[in-house]
Amino acid sequence: MAVRDVYRLLDGALVGTMLADEPLSRHTTLKVGGPAALFIRCVAMEDLRLVIEACRRCEVPWTVIGRGSNLVASDSGYPGVVIELEGDFKAYGFAPDGTLTAGAGTQLALLVQEAFNRCLAGLEPAVGIPGTLGGAIVMDAGSRRQWIGSSVLEVKVYDPDAGLRRISGSDIEWGYRRCSLPAGVVVVSAVLGLTPANQAMLRGTMEGSLARRRKSQPLNMPSAGSTFKNPEGANVAELIEGCGLKGLAVGGAQVSTRHANFIVNTGGATAADVIQLALTVRERVREVHGIELQPEVRFLGFSR
């Protein structure tokens, strides 16, 4: 069976929308990527269940993306179904005690601003980070020293084999750009514990973080954020810069002249350009420093 069979099973059954051959370059901050065979916006839990059930029945691969802020999609696209969480998955609310419950599709920037407006601390590590709450939880997003996982009380996931499950934040192992949520589950919402704070102090912390990001990162150019993870005890940008690689380009992809761990799209870059440049950087750092860099970005549609 094929993607067309998934479409046939779902046609007329979804509240959300389906798009055939949708360019992934429209859904990634790096602005590269070929077409997804089928791109589906799920707006309710039943949509998500139906889509995954249809994909499994038809033996078609599927994946969930947020804003595509750490994603490099292949030039040949993705042969399966790409799912985006909208509608109900963007709902959020604050309890009187400051507890925040939010859908996985909610933009981080919105939640950070709403927490600030309510004088609540806990989301400062996410200030200035593009993306959605679901992606931030899976990647344990944040600064180098503070991660969003420290505020997570509970995560609700959809398990294709067991349905909806609630996992306590204390039962999840949180780490640098990773967490121990089971493979194959989809984060649908989370509960975060925030604490009252002085708004002036929050403003100072957040504005300081934003100022550092604006000064050091190429926020005005398309990128997928940090390309590689920081090795233990080292700063990856300094390692790359020490190899003299700032400004190195392959096609339309370039090692940022502002932050060496960002690969930016200077215009017309392809995923192949980005991959070749990343491989060159990785090889050079290994030669000069003896360190094997590990990617922080996620790859979609590549055979290996």
Side-chain angles (χ1 to χ4, degrees):
M1 301 181 83
V3 170
R4 64 177 177 273
D5 298 302
V6 174
Y7 186 97
R8 178 179 53 79
L9 287 173
L10 297 174
D11 189 26
L14 298 182
V15 179
T17 56
M18 296 190 289
L19 300 170
D21 297 322
E22 173 69 3
L24 289 170
S25 58
R26 297 176 181 172
H27 303 277
T28 61
T29 54
L30 185 57
K31 305 300 182 186
V32 302
L38 192 59
F39 188 93
I40 302 180
R41 293 187 175 97
C42 293
V43 299
M45 190 60 235
E46 182 64 7
D47 277 359
L48 181 63
R49 187 191 67 78
L50 288 171
V51 170
I52 294 177
E53 185 179 271
C55 288
R56 300 180 85 194
R57 177 176 171 183
C58 298
E59 299 183 336
V60 168
W62 58 273
T63 190
V64 178
I65 67 170
R67 288 191 61 206
S69 55
N70 71 327
L71 191 65
V72 180
S74 168
D75 295 319
S76 60
Y78 183 68
V81 174
V82 174
I83 300 168
E84 186 177 63
L85 302 179
E86 297 281 344
D88 292 350
F89 297 102
K90 289 189 171 184
Y92 67 91
F94 290 84
D97 65 355
T99 301
L100 166 63
T101 302
T106 314
Q107 290 194 18
L108 269 181
L110 174 61
L111 296 178
V112 170
Q113 184 61 50
E114 290 293 336
F116 169 76
N117 291 343
R118 290 169 170 77
C119 303
L120 295 172
L123 285 179
E124 304 89 277
V127 67
I129 297 177
T132 59
L133 178 61
I137 287 173
V138 171
M139 289 290 292
D140 199 6
S143 65
R144 192 172 183 180
R145 295 179 178 85
Q146 292 179 295
W147 310 324
I148 196 170
S150 62
S151 296
V152 175
L153 300 178
E154 180 184 275
V155 178
K156 183 189 289 186
V157 301
Y158 177 71
D159 184 333
D161 294 318
L164 286 173
R165 295 171 52 196
R166 297 179 186 271
I167 303 175
S168 172
S170 61
D171 290 334
I172 299 171
E173 181 184 339
W174 303 97
Y176 175 59
R177 301 300 180 264
R178 65 175 181 82
C179 77
S180 64
L181 284 172
V185 304
V186 179
V187 175
V188 297
S189 66
V191 180
L192 287 78
L194 308 181
T195 56
N198 179 277
Q199 193 172 58
M201 292 182 66
L202 280 177
R203 179 182 288 109
T205 300
M206 293 168 62
E207 288 182 350
S209 296
L210 284 172
R212 286 190 292 274
R213 288 184 186 277
R214 293 188 182 113
K215 183 178 180 180
S216 64
Q217 298 179 5
L219 302 181
N220 61 331
M221 301 185 74
S223 80
S226 296
T227 306
F228 299 102
K229 298 177 183 178
N230 284 308
E232 185 69 29
N235 182 294
V236 68
E238 292 176 359
L239 295 176
I240 297 170
E241 187 171 353
C243 295
L245 297 177
K246 263 191 172 182
L248 179 68
V250 173
Q254 181 188 54
V255 175
S256 169
T257 57
R258 177 169 290 187
H259 192 304
N261 196 27
F262 279 62
I263 291 178
V264 296
N265 184 348
T266 62
T270 64
D273 294 339
V274 174
I275 296 298
Q276 184 56 56
L277 183 55
L279 289 173
T280 299
V281 169
R282 191 181 189 189
E283 180 179 357
R284 185 62 177 153
V285 169
R286 182 173 60 244
E287 290 174 351
V288 173
H289 300 288
I291 295 175
E292 189 76 28
L293 297 180
Q294 299 302 315
E296 184 168 321
V297 294
R298 174 186 169 199
F299 301 97
L300 181 63
F302 296 90
S303 57
R304 60 181 179 89

